[in-house]
Amino acid sequence: MPYRTGQPPVYALKAGFFRTLGHPARVRILQLLREGEQSVGALQAALDLDSGGTSQHLAALRKQGLVTSRREGTSVYYAVKDPRILELLELAKAVITANLQENQALLDELAVEDFGPR
């Protein structure tokens, strides 16, 4: 992947990695796969996507090395390649939760303020 920002290629690799994770369906696929290997059909049903959409998301995850696939007869099964990706998603959840809790604290403070007429 060529880079045009003047940054070393490692930053382009990292950006591509996170860009792949930037789609809700891909994060959901990884979440579904945390329980173990699943067929494309099962993933498709859980995501409520057509086969083309599911295949595109799985291809993007496979290209980044986030999932592995194997064929058994006419079915293809996917699994998380490296469990550390699930740890990364868990860390992201913790950061998001902390941010939401901060926002909730601000909302709670605003809720008790009263600037209405006396």
Side-chain angles (χ1 to χ4, degrees):
M1 169 190 311
Y3 61 97
R4 295 180 278 268
T5 63
Q7 299 295 324
V10 69
Y11 295 112
L13 286 172
K14 289 177 184 179
F17 176 86
F18 285 107
R19 199 170 20 259
T20 299
L21 292 176
H23 195 287
R26 294 177 192 152
V27 173
R28 179 74 175 124
I29 287 169
L30 292 169
Q31 182 183 28
L32 292 166
L33 293 176
R34 81 178 189 275
E35 299 301 322
E37 183 180 71
Q38 294 208 27
S39 70
V40 172
L43 293 169
Q44 182 179 332
L47 294 167
D48 196 28
L49 289 175
D50 61 26
S51 62
T54 303
S55 293
Q56 282 183 326
H57 292 303
L58 289 166
L61 291 168
R62 195 174 52 247
K63 182 179 176 185
Q64 278 297 329
L66 301 177
V67 296
T68 60
S69 64
R70 71 173 181 85
R71 181 173 295 279
E72 186 176 297
T74 59
S75 297
V76 178
Y77 293 85
Y78 280 84
V80 172
K81 183 176 181 180
D82 186 333
R84 292 176 295 183
I85 190 63
L86 300 175
E87 293 174 24
L88 176 65
L89 291 173
E90 194 62 33
L91 284 171
K93 177 184 165 186
V95 170
I96 292 166
T97 300
N99 287 335
L100 289 173
Q101 287 171 340
E102 284 178 23
N103 290 337
Q104 185 60 52
L106 289 172
L107 286 172
D108 292 344
E109 286 180 37
L110 283 172
V112 298
E113 285 186 344
D114 186 8
F115 293 101
R118 289 200 175 250

